[in-house]
C-alpha cells in the first residue's frame, strides 16, 4: 500500500456516526467500538480469579477536553483509560475517563471516584457470575481507588479485595516508628466487617486494607540493606505478598501494548484510541496463545504481531495475483 493510499484511508476512517452523538458522553465518538470490544473480550467470562484495577494512558498531545496529565508516568499526556486485568495482563474490561461527571457516574454520585471506577469495572463480574463462585475472585487496587467503604461493600456482595490505602482515609491508626527496621508491622482487625488494616515499614510506611488475608503466614522477601550492602530476607505480611504478586496486571498489559504497532501521530484523538484497542486485542491473543503452550516456545508480542501482519500480506498478495491473472486473461480474449 502506498503512503497516499494509507493516508486517504486513515483520513476517511470513522469510529462513529452522526446519530451516535451524545452530549452527556465525551467519548461518544469511540463508544461503539468500545462496547464492541468489551462484548468480545468478555465472551468467555472471567477465567482468572486474581483481578486488578488500575489506570492506563494513551499518548495524545492534541487539543481535547478529556485529555489528562499524570506526573511520573511513562506517558504523561493523553487519554486516561481504566482497565480491569488478570495477573498475566489479560484485559477484561476498559473504559475512558470522561471526568467526574462522565458516563456511568449518575447512579453512583455519592461514591468517591475510585469506588465508582472499581464498581463499574467489576459490574459484569458481579452480574454474570454465580454468587457461590464470587468467593473465588480477588480484586486488587492501589491507594487511588481504595477506601474502607469500598472494601466493605465488595465483601457484602461476595468479592474479597486487597488494596493499599492512604492513612487519612482510615479512622483507625497504626502507629509505627519511622526509625523501625524493615518488616515491622502492625495489624488491626474489625470483627463486624472482617476488614484487616495492616501497616508495615518497608522503604517507607505503607498501609493496606484486605478482606482476604491478614499478616499470617509471614512471607520472606528480599530487600537491599544499606548496613550489610546486600539483599537480605525480611518477613512480609501475607496481604502484602499477595498484593505484590497479583497487582501488576494492568502494567503488564501496558508493557505488551508498548511493543506493538508504531506510534502514528494524528490530530484526531479517536485514532490513538482505536490503535490502542487493536494493541489490546493482539495482547490478549498473545496471552491466550502462550497459556495454551504447555510445551514449546512461547511467542513474544512482537513476534505474534509480525505473524499476523505476514498472514494478511500473504492474503493480500494472493488476491492481487489472482486479480492480475484475470485481467491478463481478459486482455487475451479482447
Amino acid at each position: 500500500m502506498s503512503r497516499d493510499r494509507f493516508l486517504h484511508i486513515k483520513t476517511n476512517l470513522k469510529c462513529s456516526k452522526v446519530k451516535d452523538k451524545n452530549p452527556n458522553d465525551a467519548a461518544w465518538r469511540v463508544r461503539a467500538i468500545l462496547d464492541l470490544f468489551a462484548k468480545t473480550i468478555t465472551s468467555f467470562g472471567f477465567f482468572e480469579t486474581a483481578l486488578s484495577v488500575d489506570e492506563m494512558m494513551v499518548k495524545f498531545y492534541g487539543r481535547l477536553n478529556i485529555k489528562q496529565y499524570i506526573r511520573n508516568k511513562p506517558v504523561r499526556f493523553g487519554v486516561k483509560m481504566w482497565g480491569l486485568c488478570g495477573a498475566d495482563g489479560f484485559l477484561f474490561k476498559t473504559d475512558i475517563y470522561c471526568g467526574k461527571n462522565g458516563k456511568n457516574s449518575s447512579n453512583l454520585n455519592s461514591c468517591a471516584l475510585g469506588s465508582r471506577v472499581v464498581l463499574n469495572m467489576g459490574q459484569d463480574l458481579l452480574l454474570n457470575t454465580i454468587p457461590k463462585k464470587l468467593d473465588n475472585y480477588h480484586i486488587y487496587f492501589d491507594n487511588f481507588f481504595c477506601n474502607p467503604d469500598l472494601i466493605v461493600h465488595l465483601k457484602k456482595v461476595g468479592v474479597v479485595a486487597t488494596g493499599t490505602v492512604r492513612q487519612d482515609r482510615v479512622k483507625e491508626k497504626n502507629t509505627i516508628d519511622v526509625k523501625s527496621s524493615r518488616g515491622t508491622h502492625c495489624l488491626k482487625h474489625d470483627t463486624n466487617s472482617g476488614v484487616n488494616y495492616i501497616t508495615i515499614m518497608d522503604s517507607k510506611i505503607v498501609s493496606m486494607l484486605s478482606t482476604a488475608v491478614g499478616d499470617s503466614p509471614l512471607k520472606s522477601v528480599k530487600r537491599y540493606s544499606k548496613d550489610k550492602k546486600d539483599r537480605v530476607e525480611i518477613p512480609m505480611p501475607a496481604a502484602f505478598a499477595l498484593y505484590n504478586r497479583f497487582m501488576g496486571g494492568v502494567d503488564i498489559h501496558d508493557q505488551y501494548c508498548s511493543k506493538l504497532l508504531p506510534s502514528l501521530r494524528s490530530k484526531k484523538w479517536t485514532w490513538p484510541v482505536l490503535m490502542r484497542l487493536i494493541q489490546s486485542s493482539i495482547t490478549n491473543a498473545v496471552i491466550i496463545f502462550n497459556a495454551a503452550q504447555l510445551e514449546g516456545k512461547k511467542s513474544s508480542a512482537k513476534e505474534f504481531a509480525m505473524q499476523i501482519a505476514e498472514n494478511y500480506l500473504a492474503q493480500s498478495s494472493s488476491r492481487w495475483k489472482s486479480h492480475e491473472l484475470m485481467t491478463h486473461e481478459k486482455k487475451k480474449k479482447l
Side-chain angles (χ1 to χ4, degrees):
M1 183 187 297
S2 65
R3 182 200 62 182
D4 293 341
R5 175 64 175 166
F6 171 76
L7 293 177
H8 177 73
I9 295 175
K10 179 174 177 289
T11 303
N12 293 277
L13 186 63
K14 306 295 181 183
C15 300
S16 62
K17 299 179 181 179
V18 179
K19 65 179 183 180
D20 297 332
K21 186 174 182 179
N22 183 2
N24 297 323
D25 184 10
W28 66 269
R29 294 184 183 276
V30 294
R31 184 60 60 188
I33 58 173
L34 278 174
D35 293 341
L36 179 62
F37 179 75
K39 183 179 178 181
T40 304
I41 60 178
T42 56
S43 58
F44 298 103
F46 293 84
F47 50 84
E48 294 189 37
T49 55
L51 305 173
S52 60
V53 178
D54 208 348
E55 57 193 11
M56 305 181 292
M57 289 289 286
V58 179
K59 185 187 297 184
F60 182 71
Y61 293 102
R63 292 185 179 182
L64 182 64
N65 58 344
I66 60 173
K67 186 174 71 172
Q68 298 290 314
Y69 166 76
I70 301 180
R71 190 177 61 177
N72 299 329
K73 285 281 187 178
V75 178
R76 294 181 298 166
F77 293 92
V79 180
K80 182 192 286 189
M81 300 182 71
W82 310 115
L84 175 68
C85 290
D88 56 3
F90 188 92
L91 182 66
F92 287 99
K93 189 171 182 179
T94 185
D95 198 4
I96 294 177
Y97 174 58
C98 300
K100 293 183 178 180
N101 298 320
K103 184 179 180 292
N104 296 331
S105 65
S106 58
N107 298 329
L108 300 169
N109 282 332
S110 59
C111 298
L113 173 61
S115 300
R116 296 203 302 265
V117 172
V118 173
L119 294 176
N120 286 330
M121 291 292 101
Q123 185 178 11
D124 293 338
L125 173 67
L126 299 176
L127 294 178
N128 301 326
T129 306
I130 301 173
K132 292 182 179 180
K133 293 185 177 181
L134 281 176
D135 295 338
N136 299 326
Y137 292 93
H138 192 161
I139 301 179
Y140 299 86
F141 33 78
D142 60 20
N143 57 21
F144 177 83
F145 307 93
C146 187
N147 63 72
D149 294 335
L150 175 61
I151 293 285
V152 172
H153 176 74
L154 291 174
K155 177 68 174 179
K156 288 181 179 180
V157 298
V159 180
V160 294
T162 300
T164 55
V165 65
R166 300 170 186 175
Q167 293 185 0
D168 57 355
R169 293 184 179 179
V170 184
K171 293 181 181 180
E172 296 290 336
K173 301 299 178 184
N174 286 338
T175 304
I176 292 182
D177 189 4
V178 180
K179 297 182 180 180
S180 300
S181 60
R182 279 188 169 183
T184 305
H185 66 275
C186 180
L187 169 69
K188 288 185 179 180
H189 175 73
D190 188 357
T191 308
N192 296 327
S193 61
V195 177
N196 295 314
Y197 177 43
I198 313 164
T199 303
I200 187 173
M201 183 64 189
D202 198 358
S203 57
K204 61 180 180 180
I205 296 177
V206 183
S207 296
M208 180 173 289
L209 295 175
S210 179
T211 53
V213 290
D215 59 346
S216 61
L218 295 176
K219 305 290 185 179
S220 296
V221 297
K222 290 186 177 181
R223 293 290 188 270
Y224 181 79
S225 174
K226 292 183 179 179
D227 298 333
K228 297 183 179 181
K229 295 183 179 180
D230 195 6
R231 294 174 66 86
V232 297
E233 291 188 353
I234 63 170
M236 183 74 69
F240 284 85
L242 287 177
Y243 180 86
N244 292 333
R245 181 179 178 184
F246 296 111
M247 175 56 197
V250 179
D251 294 333
I252 294 174
H253 185 84
D254 267 340
Q255 292 174 8
Y256 272 110
C257 291
S258 64
K259 299 176 182 178
L260 297 172
L261 300 181
S263 178
L264 302 177
R265 298 180 63 181
S266 176
K267 293 183 179 179
K268 295 181 179 180
W269 67 275
T270 55
W271 179 259
V273 173
L274 177 61
M275 291 298 101
R276 181 51 184 256
L277 294 182
I278 296 175
Q279 290 173 334
S280 297
S281 301
I282 299 175
T283 297
N284 283 356
V286 173
I287 293 171
I288 293 177
F289 177 81
N290 289 336
Q293 298 296 315
L294 300 178
E295 297 180 358
K297 185 179 178 181
K298 294 186 178 180
S299 176
S300 66
K302 188 175 181 180
E303 292 174 352
F304 198 87
M306 289 296 294
Q307 292 176 8
I308 295 174
E310 289 172 359
N311 184 30
Y312 278 109
L313 287 172
Q315 294 179 13
S316 177
S317 60
S318 63
R319 286 195 298 265
W320 180 256
K321 288 180 181 178
S322 62
H323 175 72
E324 285 185 336
L325 182 61
M326 291 174 62
T327 307
H328 183 67
E329 290 179 352
K330 287 181 179 178
K331 289 182 178 179
K332 276 186 174 181
K333 292 180 180 180
L334 294 175

